[in-house]
Amino acid sequence: MTFKPARLLVLLFAAAALPVMAQNLAVVNGKSIPSSRADVMVKQMTAQGQPDSPQLRGAVKEELINREILMQEADKQGLSNNADVKNQLELARQGIVIRALIGDYLKKHPVADADIKAEYDKFKAQAGDKEYHARHILVDKEEDAKAIIAKLKAGTKFEDLAKQSKDTGSAANGGDLDWATPASFVKPFSDAMVALKKGDITETPVKTQFGYHVIKLEDTRPAKVPTLEEVKPQIAEALQQKKLQAYQEELRKKAKVQ
């Protein structure tokens, strides 16, 4: 079988065009949609839990074709040159590039397991080995707190007097603060609380930045501190945020801002 020169030339051009066509998902009004764009969208959707499948890829193809048609129409109407649209596009571009920068930085500066363990040990030390079940009544004036203490000594129920507390969240529950570690409270409060015995009430008002407290200790129990494995993801994320904050502050110091 022989080919005429013209026929051979057509076949050669067709063969050369095949790799280019394979790189395109579709061509809309002469404008190509690259297959790599579909790959990015599929990656985003599978990351959200959708399984990669022919149906998903078909839906992605249709979506990208529809987007291209709408974009071409928007360009025809000159909307791409709208100042507000340009600003939104720039903000979106910045967000994408910054996420890439952050991802690259964290990849090159991962949080070490030793740092996570050290942070966990610090957390355990701050939490202590006991949890406290306390109640409190919070008022603005010291004399009001002293009057409450006098009424409590005379036999008035703590739960009844707690209704006048400034802390509306606990006032409706008789001043109940539930179980918590001392580290959950400001230091003057926690110092006074841990000094109490079960059933005791503070003899004098406890002053904090919130006002004057009257504290009653209901009970204590051994602290239920989560294991390292239970809180490792949260600690790792917090340390990552610290790294990123330090990195941003370092860049800000080097930047010339006028």
Side-chain angles (χ1 to χ4, degrees), residues 34-49:
S35 298
S36 57
R37 193 175 301 167
D39 293 337
V40 170
M41 182 173 280
V42 168
K43 186 177 179 181
Q44 290 174 344
M45 297 176 79
T46 53
Q48 294 171 0

Side-chain angles (χ1 to χ4, degrees), residues 6-27:
R7 174 65 174 167
L8 181 59
L9 193 60
V10 170
L11 289 173
L12 288 172
F13 274 119
L18 283 175
V20 177
M21 292 297 293
Q23 294 174 7
N24 294 328
L25 183 72
V27 179

Side-chain angles (χ1 to χ4, degrees), residues 81-103:
N81 295 320
N82 180 279
D84 188 47
V85 171
K86 282 185 175 181
N87 283 325
Q88 290 184 54
L89 285 171
E90 179 56 23
L91 289 172
R93 187 191 72 84
Q94 287 182 355
I96 293 167
V97 175
I98 289 169
R99 282 196 296 273
L101 174 68
I102 289 172

Side-chain angles (χ1 to χ4, degrees), residues 7 24 44 51 60 64 113 116 118 126 144-145 158 170 181 183 197-199 207 221 235 243 246 248 255:
R7 174 65 174 167
N24 294 328
Q44 290 174 344
V60 166
L64 289 175
D113 285 342
I116 295 175
Q126 290 175 345
D144 291 340
F158 196 99
S170 66
T181 62
K197 293 180 181 178
K198 180 178 175 180
K207 185 180 180 181
R221 69 183 182 189
I235 295 175
K243 278 179 173 286
Q248 184 174 338

